[in-house]
Amino acid sequence: MSRRVVSPLDPPKGTDAYERIYDVVRAIPEGRVATYGQVAALAGLKGHARQVGYALHALDDDDVPWQRVVNAKGEISARSDPGSEPLQRVMLEDEGVVFDERGRISLSRFRWDP
DNA sequence: GGTCTGACTAGGT
DNA sequence: AACCTAGCCAGAC
């Protein structure tokens, strides 16, 4: 698994937690989204939603559809690198995900229900 | 070890 | 529905 190393959000290289997170994200179908908390729970890391965010931040792997992970409000979370926010939106729209006028996704319509 | 930070969340106002 | 707060946890220094 390739990663980009970005302090202070470096992945814990000695654990497999991030690999489990990536596995879950890879399972999200095209055109659907999941929340950080949902991914954490499915990865066996219930309550570690922030870890999911860090894992995705550290990610540098085209295999992982990171754009399908959004926050509990159905919006794209702000991050240290603001450039990827509009990119995420475009990628999701290309998959058929619809944003409302406030830039939010209807989780009742697009949330992945595994 | 204490402190600070961050792609988070749930609950109260 | 928007805003605020406390709780959360692993890493870096």
Side-chain angles (χ1 to χ4, degrees):
Chain A
M1 183 59 55
S2 60
R3 302 185 176 113
R4 178 166 55 97
V5 175
V6 180
S7 171
L9 305 178
D10 270 359
K13 303 170 186 65
T15 74
D16 62 346
Y18 280 41
E19 299 306 327
R20 300 215 301 279
I21 291 170
Y22 297 147
D23 284 342
V24 171
V25 175
R26 274 189 282 260
I28 305 172
E30 186 177 315
R32 311 302 296 283
V33 298
T35 67
Y36 294 95
Q38 182 182 358
V39 171
L42 290 169
L45 301 168
K46 193 169 184 168
H48 295 222
R50 306 188 86 149
Q51 286 300 112
V52 174
Y54 303 153
L56 297 186
H57 183 231
L59 185 62
D60 183 22
D61 190 332
D62 295 331
D63 290 335
V64 182
W66 54 270
Q67 74 276 17
R68 294 177 192 150
V69 184
V70 299
N71 67 29
K73 292 176 285 204
E75 53 192 17
I76 293 170
S77 288
R79 60 206 58 179
S80 52
D81 174 18
S84 65
E85 294 171 39
L87 172 64
Q88 178 171 5
R89 174 167 177 159
V90 168
M91 292 176 81
L92 286 175
E93 289 177 328
D94 282 348
E95 299 182 359
V97 176
V98 178
F99 289 74
D100 67 17
E101 56 285 341
R102 291 185 195 151
R104 301 210 307 213
I105 299 164
S106 168
L107 290 180
S108 60
R109 287 177 54 197
F110 294 104
R111 190 181 201 276
W112 175 42
D113 188 16

